[in-house]
Amino acid sequence: EVQLVESGGGLVQPGRSLRLSCTASGFTFGDYAMSWVRQAPGKGLEWVGFIRSKAYGGTTEYAASVKGRFTISRDDSKSIAYLQMNSLKTEDTAVYYCTRAPGGYNSRWFDPWGQGTLVTVSS
Amino acid sequence: EIVMTQSPATLSVSPGERATLSCRASQSVSSNLAWYQQKPGQAPRLLIYGASTRATGIPARFSGSGSGTEFTLTISSLQSEDFAVYYCQQYNNWPITFGQGTRLEIK
């Protein structure tokens, strides 16, 4: 069974940092691009960032709202994707979902999704 | 940035009836459009990709159509488990963008 499990969420003060992890199982992690999507309380889905597989250079893309503050990385040997979040703002408060891009290079739909981890940025 | 606009914001339909949800893109996204279902307290679930291809395990009552800027998700005969929020997502251009969602509620 393909599974994604996020961890690392919690309460953090504005301006501080937090690192989320996404542990994958049930598939060859290194073959797939991964992405992070967030959802503020009571709001819709907002794409955060994307990391390609090493076959496509392992390069990244980010939403403008997080570019320069957030960094996505991957450790294929451990089947883990990371979201490093720096200079956190109150508006970053959300459930953060990890998800897989199951298609090829241009296939940026997402399936499956993890259960999400809540990040609360507050003083 | 491509803006995705979903309509209506809320749709009230009786079980057994057909539901039609719309998604419009601010510029062409070709067929690079996906639909997701999200129930309260749960992660989104992929329904449709490539505008019209059902994801694995998705019932045939779900169908997607459209290309360019106009897309439709149709649920042919609503079951109780279909009442949820539905999102469209374009992946033709960076940044990837989602619609604001359509809440499908029981009439």
Side-chain angles (χ1 to χ4, degrees), chain A residues 35 37 39 42-47 49-50 52 61-64 97 102 106-116, chain B residues 1 32 34 36 38 41-46 48-50 55-56 87 89-100:
Chain A
S35 193
V37 176
Q39 187 169 37
K43 303 297 184 182
L45 302 172
E46 180 189 14
W47 171 73
F50 184 94
R52 297 176 179 85
E61 306 284 347
Y62 298 97
Y97 294 103
N106 286 324
S107 303
R108 297 184 290 267
W109 63 85
F110 302 130
D111 181 53
W113 297 56
Q115 85 288 352
Chain B
E1 170 176 319
N32 296 315
Y36 301 87
Q38 188 178 33
Q42 296 186 16
R45 177 175 72 143
L46 176 69
I48 301 284
Y49 62 92
T56 302
Y87 295 95
Q89 173 226 334
Q90 71 79 21
Y91 51 91
N92 193 65
N93 288 25
W94 300 105
I96 290 168
T97 48
F98 289 89
Q100 82 281 13

Side-chain angles (χ1 to χ4, degrees), chain B residues 20-106:
Chain B
T20 302
L21 289 68
S22 296
C23 175
R24 172 177 292 179
S26 61
Q27 65 187 77
S28 177
V29 298
S30 187
S31 294
N32 296 315
L33 190 286
W35 289 95
Y36 301 87
Q37 176 194 67
Q38 188 178 33
K39 297 179 181 179
Q42 296 186 16
R45 177 175 72 143
L46 176 69
L47 299 175
I48 301 284
Y49 62 92
S52 61
T53 301
R54 273 191 306 277
T56 302
I58 301 303
R61 64 181 181 272
F62 291 90
S63 63
S65 63
S67 66
T69 62
E70 300 284 344
F71 301 89
T72 300
L73 175 70
T74 301
I75 311 172
S76 59
S77 178
L78 280 163
Q79 308 297 303
S80 58
E81 61 266 30
D82 299 336
F83 293 96
V85 178
Y86 292 82
Y87 295 95
C88 61
Q89 173 226 334
Q90 71 79 21
Y91 51 91
N92 193 65
N93 288 25
W94 300 105
I96 290 168
T97 48
F98 289 89
Q100 82 281 13
T102 289
R103 180 177 304 277
L104 181 56
E105 63 177 29
I106 300 174

